[in-house]
Coordinates of all heavy atoms in Angstrom, one line a residue:
M1 N -11.9 19.9 -2.9 CA -11.7 18.5 -3.2 C -10.3 18.0 -2.9 O -9.4 18.7 -3.4 CB -12.1 18.3 -4.7 CG -12.0 16.8 -5.1 SD -12.6 16.6 -6.8 CE -11.1 16.4 -7.7
S2 N -10.2 16.9 -2.2 CA -8.8 16.4 -2.0 C -8.4 15.5 -3.1 O -9.2 14.8 -3.7 CB -8.8 15.7 -0.6 OG -8.8 14.3 -0.7
V3 N -7.1 15.6 -3.4 CA -6.5 14.8 -4.5 C -5.7 13.7 -3.9 O -4.9 13.9 -3.0 CB -5.7 15.7 -5.4 CG1 -5.0 14.8 -6.5 CG2 -6.5 16.8 -6.1
V4 N -5.9 12.5 -4.4 CA -5.0 11.4 -4.0 C -4.1 11.0 -5.2 O -4.6 10.9 -6.3 CB -5.9 10.1 -3.7 CG1 -5.0 8.9 -3.4 CG2 -6.8 10.4 -2.5
E5 N -2.9 10.9 -4.9 CA -1.9 10.6 -6.0 C -1.5 9.1 -5.8 O -1.2 8.7 -4.7 CB -0.7 11.5 -5.9 CG 0.4 11.2 -6.9 CD 1.6 12.1 -6.7 OE1 1.4 13.3 -6.6 OE2 2.7 11.6 -6.6
I6 N -1.6 8.3 -6.9 CA -1.3 6.9 -6.8 C -0.2 6.7 -7.8 O -0.3 7.0 -9.0 CB -2.5 6.0 -7.1 CG1 -3.6 6.3 -6.1 CG2 -2.1 4.6 -7.1 CD1 -4.9 5.6 -6.5
K7 N 0.9 6.1 -7.3 CA 2.1 5.8 -8.2 C 2.4 4.4 -8.1 O 2.5 3.8 -7.0 CB 3.3 6.7 -7.8 CG 4.5 6.5 -8.6 CD 5.6 7.4 -8.0 CE 6.9 7.2 -8.7 NZ 8.0 8.0 -8.1
M8 N 2.5 3.7 -9.3 CA 2.9 2.3 -9.3 C 4.4 2.2 -9.3 O 5.1 2.7 -10.2 CB 2.4 1.6 -10.5 CG 0.9 1.5 -10.5 SD 0.2 0.8 -12.0 CE 0.6 -0.9 -11.7
I9 N 5.0 1.7 -8.2 CA 6.5 1.5 -8.2 C 6.8 0.3 -9.0 O 6.3 -0.8 -8.7 CB 6.9 1.3 -6.7 CG1 6.4 2.5 -5.8 CG2 8.4 1.2 -6.6 CD1 7.0 3.9 -6.1
P10 N 7.7 0.4 -9.9 CA 8.1 -0.8 -10.7 C 8.5 -1.9 -9.8 O 9.4 -1.8 -9.0 CB 9.2 -0.3 -11.6 CG 9.0 1.2 -11.7 CD 8.5 1.6 -10.4
N11 N 7.9 -3.1 -10.1 CA 8.2 -4.3 -9.3 C 8.1 -4.2 -7.8 O 8.8 -4.8 -7.0 CB 9.7 -4.8 -9.6 CG 9.9 -5.0 -11.1 OD1 9.0 -5.5 -11.8 ND2 11.0 -4.6 -11.6
G12 N 7.1 -3.3 -7.4 CA 7.0 -3.0 -6.0 C 5.5 -2.6 -5.7 O 4.6 -2.9 -6.4
P13 N 5.4 -1.8 -4.6 CA 4.0 -1.5 -4.1 C 3.4 -0.3 -4.9 O 4.0 0.3 -5.8 CB 4.3 -1.0 -2.7 CG 5.7 -0.4 -2.8 CD 6.4 -1.3 -3.8
L14 N 2.2 0.0 -4.5 CA 1.5 1.2 -4.9 C 1.8 2.3 -3.9 O 1.6 2.1 -2.7 CB 0.0 1.0 -4.9 CG -0.6 0.1 -6.0 CD1 -2.1 0.0 -5.8 CD2 -0.3 0.6 -7.4
E15 N 2.4 3.4 -4.3 CA 2.6 4.5 -3.4 C 1.4 5.5 -3.5 O 1.1 5.9 -4.6 CB 3.9 5.2 -3.8 CG 4.2 6.4 -2.9 CD 5.5 7.1 -3.3 OE1 6.6 6.6 -2.9 OE2 5.4 8.1 -4.1
M16 N 0.8 5.8 -2.4 CA -0.3 6.7 -2.4 C -0.1 7.9 -1.5 O 0.5 7.7 -0.4 CB -1.6 5.9 -1.9 CG -1.9 4.7 -2.8 SD -3.3 3.7 -2.2 CE -4.6 4.9 -2.3
K17 N -0.4 9.0 -2.0 CA -0.2 10.3 -1.2 C -1.6 11.0 -1.1 O -2.3 11.1 -2.1 CB 0.8 11.2 -1.9 CG 2.2 10.7 -2.0 CD 3.1 11.6 -2.6 CE 4.5 11.0 -2.7 NZ 5.5 11.9 -3.3
G18 N -1.9 11.3 0.1 CA -3.2 12.0 0.3 C -3.8 11.6 1.7 O -3.1 11.3 2.6
D19 N -5.1 11.7 1.8 CA -5.8 11.3 3.0 C -6.6 10.1 2.6 O -7.3 10.1 1.6 CB -6.8 12.4 3.4 CG -6.0 13.7 3.8 OD1 -4.9 13.6 4.4 OD2 -6.5 14.8 3.4
F20 N -6.6 9.0 3.5 CA -7.2 7.7 3.2 C -8.0 7.2 4.3 O -7.6 7.5 5.5 CB -6.2 6.7 2.8 CG -5.1 7.2 1.9 CD1 -3.9 7.5 2.5 CD2 -5.3 7.2 0.6 CE1 -2.9 8.0 1.7 CE2 -4.3 7.7 -0.3 CZ -3.0 8.1 0.3
K21 N -8.9 6.4 4.0 CA -9.5 5.5 5.1 C -9.4 4.1 4.6 O -9.9 3.7 3.5 CB -11.0 5.9 5.2 CG -11.7 5.0 6.3 CD -13.2 5.1 6.3 CE -13.6 6.5 6.8 NZ -15.1 6.6 6.8
I22 N -8.6 3.3 5.3 CA -8.4 1.9 5.0 C -9.5 1.1 5.7 O -9.7 1.2 7.0 CB -7.1 1.4 5.5 CG1 -5.9 2.2 4.9 CG2 -6.9 -0.1 5.2 CD1 -5.6 2.0 3.5
I23 N -10.3 0.3 5.0 CA -11.4 -0.5 5.6 C -11.0 -1.9 5.4 O -10.9 -2.4 4.3 CB -12.7 -0.2 4.9 CG1 -13.1 1.3 5.0 CG2 -13.8 -1.1 5.6 CD1 -14.3 1.7 4.2
R24 N -10.7 -2.6 6.6 CA -10.3 -4.0 6.6 C -11.5 -4.9 6.4 O -12.6 -4.5 6.6 CB -9.5 -4.3 7.8 CG -8.2 -3.5 7.9 CD -7.5 -3.8 9.2 NE -6.3 -3.0 9.3 CZ -5.1 -3.4 8.8 NH1 -5.0 -4.6 8.3 NH2 -4.0 -2.6 8.9
P25 N -11.2 -6.2 6.0 CA -12.3 -7.1 5.8 C -13.2 -7.3 7.0 O -14.4 -7.6 6.9 CB -11.6 -8.5 5.5 CG -10.3 -8.0 4.9 CD -9.9 -6.8 5.6
D26 N -12.6 -7.1 8.2 CA -13.4 -7.3 9.4 C -14.2 -6.0 9.8 O -14.9 -5.9 10.8 CB -12.6 -7.7 10.6 CG -11.5 -6.6 11.0 OD1 -11.5 -5.5 10.4 OD2 -10.7 -7.0 11.9
G27 N -14.1 -5.0 8.9 CA -14.9 -3.7 9.1 C -14.1 -2.7 9.9 O -14.6 -1.5 9.9
K28 N -12.9 -3.0 10.4 CA -12.2 -2.0 11.2 C -11.7 -0.9 10.2 O -11.2 -1.3 9.1 CB -11.0 -2.6 11.9 CG -11.3 -3.4 13.1 CD -10.1 -3.9 13.8 CE -10.5 -4.8 15.0 NZ -9.4 -5.4 15.6
E29 N -11.7 0.3 10.6 CA -11.3 1.4 9.8 C -10.1 2.1 10.3 O -9.9 2.2 11.5 CB -12.4 2.5 9.6 CG -13.7 1.9 9.0 CD -14.8 2.9 8.8 OE1 -14.5 4.1 9.1 OE2 -15.8 2.6 8.2
E30 N -9.2 2.5 9.5 CA -8.0 3.2 9.8 C -7.8 4.4 9.0 O -7.8 4.3 7.8 CB -6.8 2.2 9.6 CG -5.5 2.5 10.1 CD -4.5 1.4 9.8 OE1 -4.9 0.3 9.4 OE2 -3.3 1.7 10.0
E31 N -7.7 5.6 9.7 CA -7.5 6.8 8.9 C -6.0 7.0 8.7 O -5.2 6.8 9.7 CB -8.0 8.0 9.7 CG -9.5 7.9 10.1 CD -10.4 8.5 9.1 OE1 -9.9 9.3 8.3 OE2 -11.6 8.2 9.1
K32 N -5.6 7.4 7.5 CA -4.2 7.6 7.2 C -4.1 8.9 6.4 O -5.0 9.3 5.7 CB -3.6 6.5 6.3 CG -3.5 5.2 7.0 CD -2.2 5.2 7.8 CE -1.9 3.8 8.4 NZ -0.7 3.8 9.2
S33 N -3.0 9.6 6.6 CA -2.7 10.8 5.9 C -1.2 10.8 5.6 O -0.4 10.4 6.4 CB -3.1 12.0 6.8 OG -2.9 13.2 6.1
G34 N -0.9 11.3 4.4 CA 0.5 11.4 4.0 C 0.8 10.4 2.9 O 0.0 10.2 2.0
T35 N 2.0 9.7 3.0 CA 2.4 8.7 2.0 C 2.3 7.3 2.6 O 2.8 7.1 3.7 CB 3.8 9.0 1.5 OG1 3.8 10.3 1.0 CG2 4.2 8.0 0.5
I36 N 1.7 6.4 1.9 CA 1.6 5.0 2.3 C 2.0 4.2 1.1 O 1.9 4.6 0.0 CB 0.2 4.6 2.9 CG1 -0.8 4.7 1.8 CG2 -0.1 5.4 4.1 CD1 -2.2 4.1 2.2
H37 N 2.4 2.9 1.4 CA 2.7 2.0 0.3 C 1.9 0.7 0.5 O 2.0 0.1 1.6 CB 4.2 1.7 0.3 CG 5.1 2.8 0.0 ND1 5.5 3.7 1.0 CD2 5.6 3.3 -1.2 CE1 6.2 4.7 0.4 NE2 6.3 4.4 -0.9
L38 N 1.1 0.4 -0.5 CA 0.2 -0.8 -0.4 C 0.9 -1.9 -1.2 O 1.3 -1.8 -2.3 CB -1.1 -0.5 -1.0 CG -1.9 0.6 -0.2 CD1 -3.3 0.8 -0.9 CD2 -2.2 0.2 1.2
C39 N 0.9 -3.1 -0.6 CA 1.5 -4.3 -1.2 C 0.7 -4.7 -2.4 O -0.5 -4.7 -2.4 CB 1.5 -5.4 -0.1 SG 2.1 -7.0 -0.8
R40 N 1.4 -5.0 -3.4 CA 0.7 -5.6 -4.6 C 1.3 -7.0 -5.0 O 0.9 -7.6 -5.9 CB 0.7 -4.7 -5.8 CG 1.5 -4.0 -6.3 CD 1.1 -3.1 -7.5 NE 2.4 -2.7 -8.0 CZ 2.8 -2.9 -9.3 NH1 2.0 -3.4 -10.2 NH2 4.0 -2.5 -9.7
C41 N 2.3 -7.4 -4.2 CA 2.9 -8.7 -4.5 C 2.3 -9.9 -3.7 O 2.4 -11.0 -4.1 CB 4.4 -8.7 -4.2 SG 4.8 -8.8 -2.4
G42 N 1.6 -9.6 -2.6 CA 1.0 -10.6 -1.8 C 1.9 -11.3 -0.8 O 1.5 -12.2 -0.1
H43 N 3.1 -10.8 -0.7 CA 4.1 -11.5 0.2 C 4.3 -10.7 1.5 O 5.0 -11.2 2.4 CB 5.5 -11.6 -0.5 CG 5.4 -12.6 -1.6 ND1 5.5 -14.0 -1.3 CD2 5.2 -12.5 -2.9 CE1 5.4 -14.6 -2.5 NE2 5.3 -13.7 -3.5
S44 N 3.7 -9.5 1.7 CA 4.0 -8.7 2.9 C 3.4 -9.4 4.1 O 2.3 -10.0 4.1 CB 3.3 -7.3 2.7 OG 3.4 -6.6 3.9
N45 N 4.1 -9.3 5.2 CA 3.6 -9.7 6.5 C 2.8 -8.6 7.2 O 2.4 -8.8 8.4 CB 4.7 -10.2 7.4 CG 5.3 -11.5 6.8 OD1 4.6 -12.4 6.5 ND2 6.6 -11.6 6.7
K46 N 2.7 -7.4 6.6 CA 2.0 -6.3 7.2 C 0.9 -5.8 6.3 O 0.7 -4.6 6.2 CB 3.0 -5.1 7.5 CG 4.2 -5.5 8.4 CD 5.3 -4.5 8.5 CE 4.8 -3.2 9.2 NZ 5.9 -2.2 9.3
K47 N 0.3 -6.7 5.6 CA -0.8 -6.3 4.7 C -1.8 -5.5 5.4 O -2.1 -5.7 6.5 CB -1.5 -7.6 4.1 CG -0.6 -8.4 3.1 CD -1.3 -9.5 2.6 CE -0.5 -10.4 1.8 NZ 0.1 -11.5 2.6
P48 N -2.3 -4.5 4.7 CA -2.2 -4.2 3.3 C -1.0 -3.4 2.9 O -0.8 -3.0 1.8 CB -3.5 -3.4 3.0 CG -3.7 -2.6 4.2 CD -3.3 -3.5 5.4
Y49 N -0.1 -3.2 3.9 CA 1.1 -2.3 3.6 C 2.3 -3.1 3.1 O 2.4 -4.3 3.5 CB 1.5 -1.5 4.9 CG 0.3 -0.7 5.4 CD1 -0.4 -1.2 6.6 CD2 -0.1 0.4 4.8 CE1 -1.5 -0.5 7.0 CE2 -1.2 1.1 5.2 CZ -1.9 0.7 6.4 OH -3.0 1.4 6.8
C50 N 3.1 -2.5 2.4 CA 4.3 -3.1 1.9 C 5.3 -3.2 3.0 O 5.5 -2.2 3.8 CB 4.9 -2.3 0.7 SG 6.5 -2.8 0.2
D51 N 6.0 -4.3 3.2 CA 7.1 -4.4 4.2 C 8.5 -4.7 3.5 O 9.4 -5.1 4.2 CB 6.8 -5.4 5.2 CG 6.8 -6.9 4.7 OD1 7.0 -7.1 3.5 OD2 6.6 -7.8 5.5
G52 N 8.5 -4.6 2.2 CA 9.7 -4.8 1.5 C 9.9 -6.2 1.0 O 10.9 -6.6 0.3
S53 N 9.0 -7.1 1.4 CA 9.1 -8.5 1.0 C 9.1 -8.8 -0.5 O 9.6 -9.8 -0.9 CB 8.0 -9.4 1.7 OG 8.1 -9.3 3.1
H54 N 8.6 -7.8 -1.3 CA 8.6 -8.0 -2.7 C 10.0 -8.2 -3.3 O 10.2 -8.9 -4.3 CB 7.9 -6.9 -3.4 CG 8.5 -5.5 -3.1 ND1 8.2 -4.7 -2.0 CD2 9.5 -4.9 -3.8 CE1 8.9 -3.6 -2.1 NE2 9.7 -3.7 -3.1
V55 N 11.0 -7.6 -2.7 CA 12.4 -7.7 -3.2 C 12.8 -9.2 -3.0 O 13.3 -9.8 -4.0 CB 13.3 -6.8 -2.4 CG1 14.8 -7.0 -2.8 CG2 12.9 -5.3 -2.6
K56 N 12.7 -9.8 -1.8 CA 13.1 -11.1 -1.6 C 12.3 -12.1 -2.4 O 12.8 -13.1 -2.9 CB 13.0 -11.5 -0.1 CG 13.6 -12.8 0.3 CD 13.5 -13.0 1.8 CE 14.1 -14.4 2.2 NZ 14.0 -14.6 3.6
A57 N 11.0 -11.8 -2.6 CA 10.2 -12.7 -3.4 C 10.4 -12.6 -4.9 O 9.9 -13.4 -5.7 CB 8.7 -12.3 -3.1
G58 N 11.2 -11.6 -5.3 CA 11.5 -11.4 -6.7 C 10.3 -11.0 -7.6 O 10.1 -11.3 -8.7
F59 N 9.4 -10.2 -6.9 CA 8.1 -9.8 -7.6 C 8.5 -8.9 -8.8 O 9.3 -8.0 -8.8 CB 7.3 -8.9 -6.6 CG 6.1 -8.3 -7.2 CD1 5.0 -9.1 -7.7 CD2 5.9 -7.0 -7.4 CE1 3.9 -8.6 -8.2 CE2 4.8 -6.4 -8.0 CZ 3.8 -7.2 -8.4
K60 N 7.8 -9.3 -9.9 CA 7.9 -8.6 -11.2 C 6.5 -8.2 -11.7 O 5.6 -9.1 -11.6 CB 8.6 -9.4 -12.3 CG 10.0 -9.9 -11.9 CD 11.0 -8.8 -12.0 CE 12.4 -9.3 -11.7 NZ 13.2 -8.3 -11.0
D61 N 6.3 -7.0 -12.1 CA 5.0 -6.6 -12.5 C 4.9 -6.5 -14.1 O 5.9 -6.8 -14.7 CB 4.5 -5.3 -11.9 CG 5.4 -4.1 -12.3 OD1 6.4 -4.3 -13.0 OD2 5.0 -3.1 -11.8
Ligands
FES101 S1 4.7 -5.0 -2.7 FE1 6.2 -4.8 -1.1 S2 5.8 -6.5 0.2 FE2 4.4 -6.7 -1.4

């Protein structure tokens, strides 16, 4: 069984470690392995991934 580790970065993204399949709203699938950061602030221009925009946006969780 593979384990996925999810860490909430304070005032930032979700850090995920493991093997993933990202399924976009249009149905396109993307296989990922390793560490990824998913945006939780809504300001990223590279959604679903964090691009650091949360800092400029002053995102607080
Ligand atoms: S959490 Fe980093 S850009 Fe949204």
Side-chain angles (χ1 to χ4, degrees):
M1 179 173 106
S2 99
V3 174
V4 175
E5 180 181 307
I6 302 172
K7 179 179 178 183
M8 295 179 74
I9 305 295
N11 305 320
L14 291 177
E15 181 179 274
M16 300 178 63
K17 295 181 180 179
D19 299 318
F20 319 96
K21 181 191 290 183
I22 304 287
I23 304 172
R24 296 179 179 270
D26 63 5
K28 287 185 181 171
E29 296 184 0
E30 192 177 344
E31 303 268 343
K32 290 281 187 178
S33 183
T35 301
I36 63 172
H37 294 87
L38 296 178
C39 176
R40 35 185 201 126
C41 76
H43 292 278
S44 175
N45 290 311
K46 299 170 75 178
K47 292 183 187 89
Y49 305 105
C50 172
D51 69 354
S53 294
H54 59 273
V55 175
K56 188 175 179 182
F59 175 68
K60 302 285 183 215
D61 62 0

